[in-house]
Amino acid sequence: MNYENVEILLVEDSKADAEMTLRTLKKRGIANSVEWVRNGVEALDFLFCENQYASRPAGHPRLVLLDLKMPLMDGLQVLERMKADARTKAIPVVMMTSSREEGDLLASYRLGVNSFVVKPVDFADFAEMVSQVGMYWMISNQTLE
């Protein structure tokens, strides 16, 4: 993987959800380079070039797709660290979760999430949601570059 050109960082502990997301992004031609990490600790290591990613060239993804409920460190903790650091504060973050809890939604927006989407259970609906999220954030949304 050429870490210099990572467009999307996918933070997802569910192998099934990650594979569906990766397949959809590739099939629809939304992102050329997606890095998948399995928990919040790995996400922060990737973003801040630490531990296993210490030799990764500096640079940030254009988008982080962040699961909420994960072991080791949840999505809210990752979001809080990202938005508190000047190096990662401006990276758009989309919380993708199965949670419909109002508290999770409110906490995410209070911490600076850019979007909060609930993962559909049905595969076709899930793929469509990933496609819409990817199209907006990678193609339609204007970014600083």
Side-chain angles (χ1 to χ4, degrees):
M1 167 80 55
N2 179 356
Y3 292 120
E4 245 177 300
N5 299 318
V6 170
E7 293 179 305
I8 296 176
L9 178 62
L10 174 62
V11 187
E12 174 61 69
D13 65 317
S14 164
K15 184 177 181 184
D17 285 358
E19 288 175 350
M20 283 191 288
T21 301
L22 293 167
R23 192 173 327 139
T24 299
L25 292 170
K26 183 178 181 180
K27 182 179 178 183
R28 308 252 171 120
I30 293 170
N32 295 320
S33 178
V34 181
E35 176 70 8
W36 169 35
V37 297
R38 288 150 183 84
N39 61 60
V41 173
E42 282 186 42
L44 293 177
D45 284 349
F46 181 89
L47 291 166
F48 296 115
C49 301
E50 297 172 350
N51 298 316
Q52 70 191 40
Y53 297 102
S55 61
R56 176 179 86 75
H60 295 294
R62 291 179 50 198
L63 175 65
V64 174
L65 299 177
L66 182 60
D67 187 23
L68 181 62
K69 308 287 187 190
M70 297 181 290
L72 302 180
M73 179 182 284
D74 69 26
L76 292 174
Q77 293 168 304
V78 173
L79 180 63
E80 185 171 28
R81 279 278 314 277
M82 286 182 67
K83 296 305 181 178
D85 193 294
R87 297 171 292 175
T88 54
K89 186 177 188 168
I91 300 171
V93 177
V94 175
M95 193 70 76
M96 292 187 4
T97 180
S98 54
S99 173
R100 295 184 180 278
E101 307 235 352
E102 186 175 341
D104 290 335
L105 176 71
L106 292 171
S108 296
Y109 278 112
R110 274 193 210 111
L111 292 171
V113 79
N114 297 89
S115 185
F116 186 100
V117 296
V118 176
K119 298 180 206 173
V121 176
D122 178 74
F123 173 76
D125 292 342
F126 184 94
E128 183 59 29
M129 182 270 303
V130 167
S131 179
Q132 288 177 8
V133 166
M135 293 287 281
Y136 175 76
W137 287 103
M138 296 303 295
I139 297 168
S140 301
N141 187 54
Q142 297 296 301
T143 60
L144 299 171
E145 300 218 24

